[in-house]
């Protein structure tokens, strides 16, 4: 479905076939007979932290489209839950959700199995609770995981910050960062890098944080960023994102800093396109999908900004932000040397 008078600006790129199968876009229609990437070959993300820290809620909101309010009724996880994320466009991976009350370092758990094939370890800390015990568990977890697999990316989600003031958020992040770093230095692991994020399931911060985590599992990230840099340098686009439509995780963006408000606008645009397409874009018999090769949208904001979305393949969308005067000059036969021509290959 097309929303906006922009046909022909950007053609459908289809599926890029030059990437390894382990990091594919996901099974396209012609690949369904062969099946998806085998689970054993997928990157693994571990969700760890004390019980009731919000691990399961994060997974449900980001990857299962659960409303944040519905997560209030989730039961506490009492066993390791393994979930395959097959719809994510560029990286198919597994998420292992560990219950906080279980000591997975005792003799009944195989650390090699847990951490050996792990790509990223996300440790969730409840910012609204006393986090001293969580910091102790974080130190033990990182220390033992690093010994098994030094290549793990360690990510710390300082979670449930929606209930904190801005000053309190900053102070909490500073304190946790300092204590965690000092604890690792005392353990002789001062070379281990921890990435910290302030997150909440009630805003887009959790999607932005998980975007950063997933990007680290994409070996072609640098190439994708360079391609987006080339795109905006040869047009008047101010910011470009490559989004996974299902999860609203952006798998790549250009090298300019990400503004949270811009990211939120792009996420909201994807919701609008999908919702409107579900109402008006399906065939009369209900066949087809709400997001397909014809999907595109142009939204003009009252501040002179244009949001532009175009389907890349059935999982990916290119979402761009640019000024209205730049968009109005698209495809002109001749362009003065001091103006920009919005045109993509």
């Amino acid at each position: 479905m097309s929303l906006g008078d922009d046909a022909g600006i950007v053609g459908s790129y289809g599926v890029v076939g030059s990437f390894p199968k382990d990091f594919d876009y996901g099974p396209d229609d012609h690949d369904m007979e062969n099946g998806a990437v085998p689970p054993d070959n997928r990157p693994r993300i571990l969700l760890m932290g004390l019980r009731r820290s919000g691990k399961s809620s994060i997974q449900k909101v980001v990857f299962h489209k659960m409303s944040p309010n519905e997560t209030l009724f989730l039961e506490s996880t009492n066993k390791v839950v393994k979930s395959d994320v097959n719809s994510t466009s560029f990286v198919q991976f597994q998420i292992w959700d560990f219950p906080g009350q279980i000591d997975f370092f005792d003799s009944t758990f195989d650390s090699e199995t847990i951490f050996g094939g792990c790509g990223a370890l996300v440790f969730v800390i409840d910012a609204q609770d006393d986090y001293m015990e969580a910091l102790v568990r974080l130190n033990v977890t990182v220390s033992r995981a690093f010994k098994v697999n030094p290549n793990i990316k360690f990510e710390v989600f300082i979670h449930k910050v929606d209930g904190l003031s801005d000053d309190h958020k900053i102070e909490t992040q500073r304190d946790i960062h300092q204590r965690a770093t000092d604890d690792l230095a005392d353990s002789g692991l001062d070379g281990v890098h921890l990435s910290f994020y302030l997150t909440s399931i009630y805003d887009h911060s959790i999607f932005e944080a998980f975007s950063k985590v997933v990007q680290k599992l994409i070996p072609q990230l640098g190439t994708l960023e360079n391609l987006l840099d080339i795109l905006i340098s040869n047009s008047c686009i101010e910011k470009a994102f490559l989004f996974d439509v299902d999860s609203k995780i952006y798998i790549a963006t250009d090298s300019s800093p990400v503004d949270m408000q811009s990211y939120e606008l792009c996420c909201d645009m994807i919701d609008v396109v999908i919702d409107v397409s579900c109402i008006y874009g399906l065939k009369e018999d209900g066949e087809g999908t709400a997001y397909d090769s014809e999907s595109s949208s142009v939204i003009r904001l009252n501040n002179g900004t244009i949001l532009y979305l175009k389907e890349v393949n059935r999982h990916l969308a290119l979402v761009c932000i640019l000024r209205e005067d730049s968009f109005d000059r698209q495809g002109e036969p001749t362009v003065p040397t001091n103006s920009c021509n919005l045109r993509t290959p």
Side-chain angles (χ1 to χ4, degrees):
M1 179 182 180
S2 178
L3 302 177
D5 186 18
D6 63 330
I9 298 176
V10 183
S12 175
Y13 290 91
V15 178
V16 178
S18 60
F19 295 103
K21 267 299 190 181
D22 288 1
F23 296 91
D24 206 352
Y25 283 104
D28 273 346
D29 294 335
H30 62 275
D31 289 334
M32 292 303 291
E33 295 181 358
N34 298 328
V37 178
D40 291 342
N41 294 336
R42 296 173 187 162
R44 186 185 308 152
I45 297 178
L46 308 184
L47 274 177
M48 296 184 172
L50 300 183
R51 75 185 292 270
R52 309 306 300 179
S53 59
K55 304 183 297 297
S56 299
S57 298
I58 291 173
Q59 180 184 346
K60 294 294 185 181
V61 168
V62 175
F63 298 107
H64 298 278
K65 300 184 183 296
M66 180 177 284
S67 167
N69 292 327
E70 291 183 78
T71 63
L72 297 174
F73 306 102
L74 288 176
E75 296 183 1
S76 181
T77 304
N78 54 18
K79 63 178 181 179
V80 179
V81 177
K82 302 177 183 179
S83 301
D84 292 328
V85 180
N86 296 321
S87 62
T88 301
S89 52
F90 217 85
V91 178
Q92 298 183 38
F93 54 86
Q94 284 189 324
I95 293 182
W96 290 15
D97 184 2
F98 284 81
Q101 67 271 22
I102 295 180
D103 181 10
F104 48 86
F105 289 115
D106 66 21
S107 57
T108 60
F109 289 90
D110 184 356
S111 296
E112 189 68 38
T113 299
I114 295 173
F115 300 113
C118 176
L121 191 157
V122 178
F123 195 93
V124 183
I125 297 178
D126 186 348
Q128 298 186 24
D129 198 3
D130 182 5
Y131 47 76
M132 294 305 164
E133 182 182 354
L135 287 172
V136 173
R137 177 69 70 89
L138 171 64
N139 181 260
V140 173
T141 302
V142 172
S143 298
R144 298 189 180 183
F146 184 78
K147 292 179 181 178
V148 175
N149 183 0
N151 296 320
I152 295 178
K153 311 296 184 184
F154 294 104
E155 321 287 343
V156 181
F157 285 6
I158 304 172
H159 196 48
K160 302 182 183 179
V161 297
D162 49 277
L164 306 180
S165 65
D166 290 341
D167 290 341
H168 196 179
K169 290 179 187 179
I170 296 174
E171 178 60 28
T172 299
Q173 183 178 24
R174 186 202 62 78
D175 188 44
I176 291 177
H177 184 286
Q178 187 65 50
R179 291 177 182 272
T181 304
D182 290 345
D183 289 344
L184 286 177
D186 292 341
S187 301
L189 297 174
D190 49 338
V192 176
H193 176 71
L194 302 179
S195 298
F196 296 85
Y197 309 87
L198 294 172
T199 61
S200 169
I201 59 174
Y202 292 97
D203 57 33
H204 291 84
S205 61
I206 190 61
F207 294 94
E208 209 269 343
F210 239 106
S211 296
K212 296 295 187 182
V213 174
V214 172
Q215 287 169 23
K216 294 178 182 179
L217 301 180
I218 302 176
Q220 301 86 4
L221 178 63
T223 301
L224 293 173
E225 291 177 341
N226 288 336
L227 290 173
L228 291 174
D229 281 337
I230 293 172
L231 171 65
I232 66 172
S233 66
N234 288 279
S235 67
C236 282
I237 294 174
E238 296 182 353
K239 189 66 182 173
F241 294 93
L242 192 59
F243 268 95
D244 174 74
V245 175
D246 293 331
S247 65
K248 290 184 293 187
I249 284 176
Y250 68 94
I251 64 169
T253 185
D254 59 87
S255 57
S256 63
V258 176
D259 175 63
M260 193 63 181
Q261 186 177 12
S262 298
Y263 172 66
E264 291 175 0
L265 284 173
C266 293
C267 288
D268 292 342
M269 184 183 194
I270 293 175
D271 287 335
V272 169
V273 171
I274 298 300
D275 291 346
V276 174
S277 297
C278 285
I279 299 173
Y280 301 105
L282 299 180
K283 299 178 181 178
E284 293 183 1
D285 56 3
E287 294 291 327
T289 60
Y291 181 79
D292 55 29
S293 60
E294 300 299 320
S295 294
S296 62
S297 176
V298 176
I299 296 179
R300 299 173 185 266
L301 305 181
N302 58 12
N303 63 355
T305 298
I306 292 286
L307 301 179
Y308 174 76
L309 178 147
K310 186 66 181 77
E311 177 264 1
V312 175
N313 71 7
R314 69 189 185 92
H315 292 295
L316 291 174
L318 175 69
V319 184
C320 302
I321 301 173
L322 63 156
R323 304 301 301 173
E324 187 171 6
D325 57 350
S326 301
F327 188 80
D328 288 341
R329 290 198 296 271
Q330 55 177 294
E332 292 180 351
T334 58
V335 182
T337 56
N338 62 346
S339 64
C340 295
N341 182 22
L342 178 61
R343 183 173 57 198
T344 56

